[in-house]
Amino acid sequence: MLTIRPTTVEDIPQIQSIANLIWPQTYAPLMKKAQLDYMMQTIYSYDAIKQQIEKKNHHYLLVYNNDTLVAFTSYELNFRNENKLMMHKLYLHPSAKGKGIGSYIINHLMGIVKEKKQESLRLQVLHCNTKAYEFYKHIGFSKTGEEYNVLEDNMGHFLDYVMELRLHSTNGRN
């Protein structure tokens, strides 16, 4: 049975534990090791996650299959002062892929979109992360733009595709 539970600062070690397992596996083929290490420190250090939760209004959710932590996601309401829920993260343990868990999480987030009166669910996906991009397209997301992100400390740059799933979409999921 799948369950989703909101987190608090006390859950940061669990978030880090699953992120440290999933993130390097996902991005090692897509970026240099120095970039990967930089991103892990920038995004997933204890202090970085705490700041995301306490100062940036990110809401983390942990996803369990029975009692096993299999995924996490984070989102922000009213992203950039627009009436959009921004999904900052969605990562599944490799053993959880292909079992409908990603779609389950997206449906849960769409419930939050509806409850909080947001217009859409927005995300950004690294342009070369074709598996993720194809998954989002398959479940009804549309590419609405591109954002070029420059990392600090001369760590490089990345092109992200911006994708959205609108609440009033006709794909039957809402």
Side-chain angles (χ1 to χ4, degrees):
M1 181 175 87
L2 291 175
T3 56
I4 297 178
R5 114 175 144 69
T7 65
T8 65
V9 173
E10 288 78 31
D11 295 305
I12 291 175
Q14 280 189 285
I15 296 167
Q16 288 180 295
S17 175
I18 193 165
N20 286 332
L21 176 70
I22 297 170
W23 222 85
Q25 287 183 7
T26 301
Y27 289 101
L30 305 176
M31 62 179 66
K32 298 174 186 166
K33 181 172 179 359
Q35 290 172 321
L36 181 64
D37 293 343
Y38 171 83
M39 296 294 283
M40 287 300 297
Q41 182 60 36
T42 302
I43 300 171
Y44 293 109
S45 70
Y46 183 92
D47 289 338
I49 296 172
K50 185 176 181 192
Q51 183 178 27
Q52 291 165 28
I53 293 169
E54 292 181 341
K55 294 196 164 75
K56 295 183 177 181
N57 296 316
H58 290 202
H59 303 269
Y60 275 83
L61 303 173
L62 296 177
V63 183
Y64 294 86
N65 187 5
N66 296 314
D67 292 330
T68 303
L69 180 60
V70 294
F72 73 98
T73 187
S74 76
Y75 68 90
E76 172 185 356
L77 297 169
N78 300 309
F79 181 67
R80 294 182 182 160
N81 295 316
E82 293 183 21
N83 196 22
K84 297 178 181 183
L85 183 148
M86 172 64 170
M87 183 180 73
H88 289 286
K89 299 167 183 62
L90 173 58
Y91 294 102
L92 279 67
H93 187 277
S95 68
K97 293 185 177 179
K99 297 181 179 178
I101 295 172
S103 295
Y104 180 83
I105 295 167
I106 294 296
N107 285 334
H108 180 83
L109 291 174
M110 286 305 291
I112 296 170
V113 166
K114 186 174 184 178
E115 174 189 334
K116 301 295 183 180
K117 299 183 178 12
Q118 304 287 283
E119 291 175 7
S120 65
L121 173 56
R122 180 189 195 273
L123 62 87
Q124 290 178 215
V125 62
L126 185 62
H127 78 284
C128 58
N129 190 348
T130 53
K131 285 182 183 179
Y133 178 75
E134 291 301 323
F135 166 73
Y136 293 125
K137 268 184 39 180
H138 175 74
I139 63 171
F141 280 82
S142 300
K143 181 180 170 192
T144 58
E146 298 179 350
E147 288 194 12
Y148 191 74
N149 299 293
V150 178
L151 304 177
E152 296 176 3
D153 301 326
N154 293 320
M155 278 292 149
H157 53 272
F158 295 100
L159 175 65
D160 284 339
Y161 294 149
V162 176
M163 302 184 81
E164 287 191 43
L165 182 60
R166 299 196 60 82
L167 185 59
H168 56 76
S169 126
T170 58
N171 65 6
R173 296 189 182 275
N174 305 320

